[in-house]
């Protein structure tokens, strides 16, 4: 009897331990672009009330989740409507926390469409308009968006959650993976080719939670796993 | 007459100076989801790299731009990245209210991009292994260079203990910080027979679950070039003669 209790205990411990397996995330889309503030009510970057925007190109997608023809179409992205609501300085780092915003991926035909153009000092006659044209293939609400900046060199990163709720390919993403997230490195200075009026070069990804298949079972079946 | 020539010379100088400014900048190599880091003495539970730990990075290139833009890295030929020779100076944690920030400077380093057919790069697990770095360093050398350091910075949010995506950067491009040195594509990123300065930078993800077992981080990055326009030695006489009728 004592031996049986031991095996039951083992089964419980094992069952509890199994979910501790590292949760995996899955690649959805790779992007590269630049960012700028609009509105930019206060000189400097990341002040409360300033709006964060990023434009650029989607350079690769997970073909299991999105269908893209990079030979025929231009794929662009846009982060918008993010407003800085609070900051925390932790020298040399600055954290900027934002209100909810929106992320979108656009598909625009290379032939007959409008080639994306950053221009300078956005918003301008071509940006964001040439990045936000064509068909929205995926978009969603961005929340928990936080930007980290090293005040010594103006480099940093951003993170945020994205709940996908629009786009012609929204339906191709399993429901369990519609709550994704994003991260990107932000770089300023030499070599980045940052157009005048933009602040950082942005290089990052959209990722979604991986769906690990599970099967319903009973305690009896679990215990049987540990019986001779 | 002298005043006129002086005016012309000054005008000529104004035309010359802007031309010698850095003229070719921006991304020339890009990689995304298929790039991971591993190191010899890193604690994945604490996210701390011990001083002296050796960092290596392997990846698959997914984009060439600028002077390399005519090359398709997504066809039958595979272009793979290998960054090596980086030694950790130890992780420094800056505590904060919102998040603690982890910064590690890895000193030294070089990169290689290899051109290989067929596509055979395989990450496997627990590198170095049977395919890492070997399947990323086979074929022929396409491009290489050195840099003096790679700085990795990311944060851990205190409210939920979540690791946030960060940044990796070799710093401002300069001859001292790193230049292209070799490979069949070197002439495309050189000026006057010398490799141009570059920087390697991008997003760094140490969040568990985003890289294969045994790796320590995912690096979505790129190489940016900062190449001056070539200049030709001349004389004031030649410059003045260009402005004479």
């Amino acid at each position: 009897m004592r031996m049986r209790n031991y095996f039951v205990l083992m089964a419980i411990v094992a069952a509890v331990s199994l979910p501790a397996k590292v949760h995996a995330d899955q690649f959805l889309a790779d992007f590269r672009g630049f960012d700028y503030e609009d509105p930019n009510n206060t000189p400097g970057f990341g002040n409360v009330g300033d709006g964060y925007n990023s434009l650029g190109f989607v350079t690769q997608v997970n073909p299991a989740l999105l269908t893209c023809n990079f030979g025929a179409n231009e794929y662009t992205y846009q982060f918008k409507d993010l407003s800085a609501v609070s900051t925390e300085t932790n020298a040399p780092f600055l954290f900027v926390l934002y209100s909810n915003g929106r992320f979108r991926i656009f598909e625009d035909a290379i032939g007959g469409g409008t080639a994306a153009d950053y221009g300078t000092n956005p918003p301008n006659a071509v940006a964001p308009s040439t990045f936000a044209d064509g068909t929205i293939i995926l978009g969603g609400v961005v929340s928990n968006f936080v930007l980290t900046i090293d005040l010594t060199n103006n480099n940093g990163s951003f993170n945020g959650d994205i709940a996908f709720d629009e786009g012609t390919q929204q339906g191709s993403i399993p429901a369990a993976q519609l709550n994704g997230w994003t991260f990107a490195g932000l770089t300023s200075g030499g070599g980045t080719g940052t157009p005048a009026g933009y602040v950082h070069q942005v290089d990052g990804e959209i990722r979604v939670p991986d769906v690990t298949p599970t099967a319903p079972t009973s305690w009896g079946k679990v215990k049987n796993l540990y019986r001779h | 007459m002298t005043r006129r020539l002086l005016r012309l010379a000054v005008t000529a100088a104004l035309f010359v100076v802007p031309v010698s400014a850095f003229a070719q900048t921006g991304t020339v190599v890009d990689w995304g989801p298929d790039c991971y880091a591993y190191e010899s003495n890193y604690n994945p539970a604490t996210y701390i790299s011990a001083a002296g730990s050796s960092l290596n990075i392997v990846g698959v290139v997914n984009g060439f731009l600028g002077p390399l833009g005519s090359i398709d890295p997504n066809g039958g030929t595979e272009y793979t990245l290998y960054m090596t020779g980086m030694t950790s100076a130890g992780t420094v944690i800056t505590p904060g209210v919102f998040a603690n920030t982890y910064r590690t400077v890895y000193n030294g380093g070089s990169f290689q991009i290899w051109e290989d057919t067929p596509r055979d790069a395989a990450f496997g697990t627990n590198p170095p292994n049977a395919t890492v770095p070997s399947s990323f360093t086979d074929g022929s050398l396409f491009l290489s260079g050195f840099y003096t350091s790679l700085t990795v910075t990311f944060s851990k949010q205190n409210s939920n203990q979540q690791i946030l995506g960060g940044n990796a950067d070799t710093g401002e491009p300069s001859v001292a910080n790193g230049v292209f040195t070799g490979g069949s594509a070197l002439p495309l990123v050189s000026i006057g027979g010398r490799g141009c300065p570059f920087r390697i930078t991008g997003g760094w993800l140490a969040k568990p679950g985003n890289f294969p077992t045994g790796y320590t981080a995912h690096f979505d990055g790129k190489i940016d070039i900062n190449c001056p326009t070539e200049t030709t030695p001349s004389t004031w006489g030649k410059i003045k003669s260009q402005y004479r009728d």
Side-chain angles (χ1 to χ4, degrees):
Chain A
M1 185 64 182
R2 181 174 291 176
M3 193 67 172
R4 188 177 172 191
N5 286 343
Y6 173 76
F7 281 119
V8 169
L9 181 63
M10 284 288 288
I12 293 171
V13 169
V16 169
S17 299
L18 288 174
K21 177 178 178 288
V22 174
H23 175 75
D25 288 314
Q26 199 172 357
F27 167 72
L28 179 65
D30 185 23
F31 59 84
R32 184 186 63 247
F34 299 100
D35 66 13
Y36 65 96
E37 289 196 320
D38 178 48
N40 187 10
N41 299 317
T42 310
F45 187 85
N47 292 295
V48 171
D50 290 350
Y52 184 81
N53 302 268
S54 179
L55 306 171
F57 297 91
V58 173
T59 56
Q60 186 178 343
V61 298
N62 183 341
L65 297 173
L66 292 175
T67 303
C68 291
N69 182 348
F70 285 95
N73 303 307
E74 178 181 75
Y75 293 89
T76 52
Y77 78 87
Q78 180 184 31
F79 283 93
K80 65 171 197 167
D81 300 336
L82 294 155
S83 182
V85 293
S86 65
T87 63
E88 180 194 319
T89 303
N90 179 27
F93 304 105
L94 170 70
F95 297 102
V96 187
L97 284 69
Y98 290 84
S99 64
N100 287 2
R102 182 153 287 276
F103 170 80
R104 283 174 170 153
I105 297 176
F106 296 86
E107 179 184 77
D108 193 21
I110 293 173
T114 308
D117 182 3
Y118 292 105
T120 58
N121 302 311
N124 54 42
V126 292
S129 60
T130 59
F131 289 85
D133 57 350
T135 304
I136 299 171
I137 65 167
L138 189 64
V141 175
V142 180
S143 60
N144 300 316
F145 192 81
V146 58
L147 196 144
T148 308
I149 293 293
D150 181 340
L151 296 171
T152 62
N153 57 19
N154 202 26
N155 292 340
S157 54
F158 71 56
N159 287 260
D161 298 326
I162 304 179
F164 299 112
D165 62 1
E166 64 175 342
T168 57
Q169 296 195 34
Q170 180 195 350
S172 68
I173 299 176
Q177 294 181 288
L178 284 174
N179 289 311
W181 57 281
T182 182
F183 83 102
L186 309 177
T187 309
S188 64
T192 58
T194 305
Y198 290 83
V199 183
H200 302 103
Q201 183 193 55
V202 177
D203 192 10
E205 294 178 12
I206 308 295
R207 300 181 73 85
V208 293
D210 196 9
V211 180
T212 304
T214 56
T217 189
S218 66
W219 277 113
K221 287 181 180 173
V222 171
K223 285 187 285 186
N224 276 337
L225 292 172
Y226 295 88
R227 284 190 178 125
H228 294 298
Chain B
M1 182 64 181
T2 304
R3 185 173 288 176
R4 184 178 173 227
L5 284 176
L6 187 61
R7 193 166 62 238
L8 286 172
V10 170
T11 306
L14 287 174
F15 276 107
V16 167
V17 171
V19 171
S20 66
F22 288 129
Q24 190 179 43
T25 64
T27 303
V28 293
V29 182
D30 194 15
W31 58 87
D34 299 314
C35 184
Y36 304 108
Y38 61 97
E39 59 181 294
S40 59
N41 195 354
Y42 175 85
N43 187 333
T46 60
Y47 311 103
I48 289 175
S49 168
S53 178
S54 175
L55 173 68
N56 298 276
I57 297 169
V58 288
V60 180
V61 172
N62 69 0
F64 286 119
L65 300 97
L68 305 179
S70 63
I71 301 159
D72 178 13
N74 302 308
T77 300
E78 181 177 68
Y79 294 84
T80 47
L81 171 76
Y82 180 47
M83 296 170 63
T84 189
M86 297 167 280
T87 303
S88 171
T91 300
V92 176
I93 302 174
T94 303
V97 176
F98 173 76
N100 293 344
T101 304
Y102 295 64
R103 168 163 287 176
T104 309
V105 175
Y106 297 90
N107 292 307
S110 64
F111 84 87
Q112 304 156 19
I113 294 175
W114 293 81
E115 186 177 41
D116 184 33
T117 305
R119 305 181 75 92
D120 64 352
F123 290 100
T125 58
N126 301 312
N129 55 39
T131 57
V132 171
S134 60
S135 68
F136 292 81
T137 56
D138 53 350
S140 60
L141 185 64
F142 176 74
L143 190 62
S144 65
F146 78 90
Y147 44 90
T148 54
S149 66
L150 178 76
T151 301
V152 171
T153 308
F154 61 86
S155 300
K156 184 168 75 171
Q157 193 170 332
N158 290 325
S159 62
N160 57 13
Q161 299 299 299
Q162 178 177 298
I163 292 293
L164 302 175
N167 176 286
D169 188 27
T170 57
E172 284 289 323
S174 68
V175 172
N177 275 354
V179 293
F180 296 110
T181 54
S184 60
L186 179 62
L188 298 174
V189 289
S190 297
I191 189 111
R194 288 176 293 184
C196 291
F198 67 85
R199 83 189 298 167
I200 297 176
T201 185
W204 187 272
L205 191 57
K207 182 181 177 183
N210 290 279
F211 37 83
T213 301
Y215 288 85
T216 55
H218 167 42
F219 182 29
D220 184 321
K222 59 193 170 301
I223 301 177
D224 293 339
I225 193 173
N226 201 354
C227 205
T229 297
E230 192 164 19
T231 57
T232 306
S234 188
T235 64
W236 279 113
K238 287 180 180 172
I239 293 172
K240 285 187 288 186
S241 68
Q242 292 177 3
Y243 294 88
R244 284 190 180 125
D245 295 325

